[in-house]
Amino acid sequence: MILDNRGLEPPQPMMRTLKALESLQQGRVLTIINDRRPMFLYEQLDEMGYTHRTEQNADGSYRIDITKLSR
């Protein structure tokens, strides 16, 4: 699943991302695309047991792949 958060002002990207994660099944990946690096989101993801990988795109946006681990 891909969630494009570009063009949204904080905290909208984080709120949309957390909402989308509610329905993410274990082992699945949610890819988000943000204008900015989501610094506050990383702490939330770590606390909730998700792994994440961030890459900066050529246009300056960020692609974050979030994986829900099995517990």
Side-chain angles (χ1 to χ4, degrees):
M1 177 170 30
I2 297 176
L3 185 61
D4 189 345
N5 290 322
R6 289 176 288 188
L8 300 175
E9 291 297 318
Q12 291 294 328
M14 185 168 168
M15 292 171 55
R16 290 183 77 213
T17 299
L18 293 174
K19 182 69 175 169
L21 288 173
E22 290 177 4
S23 61
L24 190 67
Q25 297 177 5
Q26 290 182 351
R28 304 294 292 187
V29 176
L30 170 65
T31 297
I32 62 170
I33 303 171
N34 285 10
D35 291 321
R36 300 168 196 78
R37 186 179 293 267
M39 301 308 295
F40 296 111
L41 178 63
Y42 295 136
E43 183 178 330
Q44 288 275 16
L45 295 175
D46 292 341
E47 289 177 9
M48 296 167 64
Y50 292 91
T51 62
H52 47 87
R53 184 174 57 98
T54 302
E55 294 180 13
Q56 188 169 16
N57 297 319
D59 66 359
S61 65
Y62 290 89
R63 173 191 171 121
I64 302 92
D65 296 317
I66 304 167
T67 306
K68 184 172 185 175
L69 301 178
S70 59
R71 290 192 171 212

